Amino acid sequence: MSSFSRSAQQWATFARSWFLIDARQQPPGKIATMCSVRLQGKHKPIYHALSDCGDHVVVINTKHIAFSGNKWEQKVYSSHTGYPGGFKQVTAAQLHQKDPKAIVKLAVYGMLPRNLARRTMMQRLHIFPDDELPEDIRANITEELQQPREIPRRLSEYTQEEIDAFPRLWTPPEDYKMK
Amino acid sequence: MKAYTYLMAKKLKLEGPSPPKPRSQQPHWDHHAEVQAFSSRLHENFSLEVLKTAFINPCYLQAEHRRRQGLAVGAEATALALEDNVQLRERGESFTRSFLTDWCRASFPVLPSDGVESVAGHLAGSEVVTYVARNLGVDDLAMSADCPVPDDVLHSTFMAVVGALLESSGPERTGLFLRDFLGPQLIGKDLFDMWTVVNPMGLLVEELTKRNVALPEPRLIRAAGASTVLPLYFVGLYSNKKLLAQGPGETLAAAEEEAARVALRILYGYTENRRPLDFSPLQQHQQPLIQSISSN
């Protein structure tokens, strides 16, 4: 790390990385914070708001994001067309149906600083609803980031040995009727 | 007052800045006092006549001779009773070179001979010596035909001063003087700034075969933006599946070369996190510097 030549060290310090995040079964808010931190360049010790030191972030599988609670039905995305009577409100589920990329995009947009650099940072965010990436983006990727939420396993994904090894919490009485 | 300053500013704008005058021709100059001050400033015991001779350059003598002939005073009066610093310079230069080579070899025992020569050559070369000389005040004391003192004249004056020190105090003190003033110029300098190596990979292969280590195998460790115009590749060199060094680069070839250079720096012990060089003052009971080097 320390014994690089000056030009090589400078090139490596100021190069733009490409991060990959898999949004499968992840809350879009947590995905968006990770994206916004890296798009601004706040994960680097050389950060400055005017330095244009942000990196690229590629988010895949946004079709499979998972809101917690009842947000699919309760979270409302509002917009106005500019014309009278043009105030539109859609629930998160409807918006996701219409455009699977919009929720992540709006979440990241809201988390970036409200300055002229925001649009440039949004251009460096690449969102894909599923696993397929174009070849050039796939070639650019540096590393994959760890998912923010640990995905819980379904009962069908546990092996019979693990189920048997789990300690029995209570023994039901003889005449207990299981539903 | 205001009118005067305006006029002087206008004159400056018309004619440009005045040519630099040597410090000896500016007011309040006492050559003997300055030479004494130079000697005590460096905490050295110079013999003052030798030191005064060391500051007199042949170009100054020629210029003086021509000036006196131009005044048409007469052959006896034109003879200057001053000696040149040429012999002192030669002695100083040869001693500097040999001392610096020995000191570099002692500080970096693994560095091969052309590396040592390049480092010593850089330290004894024009750039470093003129920088040190200007900051020690040698350019004010040096007598030369032009002003400001040109680099090669300043270099020879400094070498003559070293020669004078050699005559006055002996090789040990001169060695310590050179180590203390030229040695710190290595701080912050990279090995390959001073030593141009055209094929670092070939040199690395040679070094590893000498030490009976497996040949380096380059592998791509990280890549970023491969299909953009500003790619970055980190290539690591593995010998026998163990990492020797890794280096970044704009292209794969550049990254591999950088990794080879980093490996060479680690092998020769010239990394940035190496143990700092020893500049401690010479104690009485310590073995003198030059003798310990020649016994290696």
Side-chain angles (χ1 to χ4, degrees), chain A residues 1-6 8-9 11-12 15-18 136-137 139-143, chain B residues 188 193 222-228 230-232 246-248 250 258 262 265 271-272:
Chain A
M1 221 44 80
S2 52
S3 347
F4 297 152
S5 326
R6 279 187 195 87
Q9 173 71 62
W11 187 267
R16 234 186 278 283
S17 324
W18 288 64
D136 39 2
I137 295 193
N140 284 345
I141 299 230
T142 320
E143 68 173 313
Chain B
D193 283 346
R222 298 178 94 93
S227 68
T228 56
L230 304 168
L232 171 71
Q246 56 167 327
E250 193 178 338
E258 182 57 35
V262 174
R265 282 192 198 105
T271 52
E272 280 177 30

Side-chain angles (χ1 to χ4, degrees), chain A residues 14-29:
Chain A
F14 292 100
R16 234 186 278 283
S17 324
W18 288 64
F19 294 102
L20 181 70
I21 302 182
D22 189 355
R24 185 178 283 274
Q25 301 207 37
Q26 304 299 312

Side-chain angles (χ1 to χ4, degrees), chain B residues 66-127:
Chain B
R66 263 177 275 144
R67 195 176 67 91
R68 290 191 185 194
Q69 274 187 339
L71 290 173
V73 182
E76 303 96 26
T78 53
L80 283 165
L82 295 170
E83 264 181 35
D84 249 335
N85 64 6
V86 176
Q87 282 174 341
L88 284 171
R89 173 180 55 90
E90 278 160 18
R91 286 187 63 189
E93 215 171 302
S94 61
F95 178 80
T96 317
R97 238 167 238 283
S98 61
F99 176 79
L100 283 175
T101 323
D102 288 337
W103 180 72
C104 289
R105 200 162 279 142
S107 317
F108 307 106
V110 203
L111 200 57
S113 36
D114 35 338
V116 170
E117 270 167 37
S118 313
V119 174
H122 169 262
L123 284 179
S126 172
E127 268 186 45

Side-chain angles (χ1 to χ4, degrees), chain A residues 3 40 61 71 73 82 117 142 151 171:
Chain A
S3 347
Q40 288 176 71
N61 285 325
K71 288 189 210 143
E73 271 72 38
T142 320
I151 305 175
T171 31

Side-chain angles (χ1 to χ4, degrees), chain A residues 95-121:
Chain A
L95 182 62
H96 195 66
Q97 182 87 19
K98 214 160 154 213
D99 177 18
K101 306 203 293 191
I103 290 187
V104 174
K105 189 161 167 204
L106 287 170
V108 176
Y109 192 76
M111 292 192 189
L112 291 174
R114 314 290 197 269
N115 55 23
L116 289 171
R118 184 164 57 164
R119 298 266 163 158
T120 328
M121 291 181 223

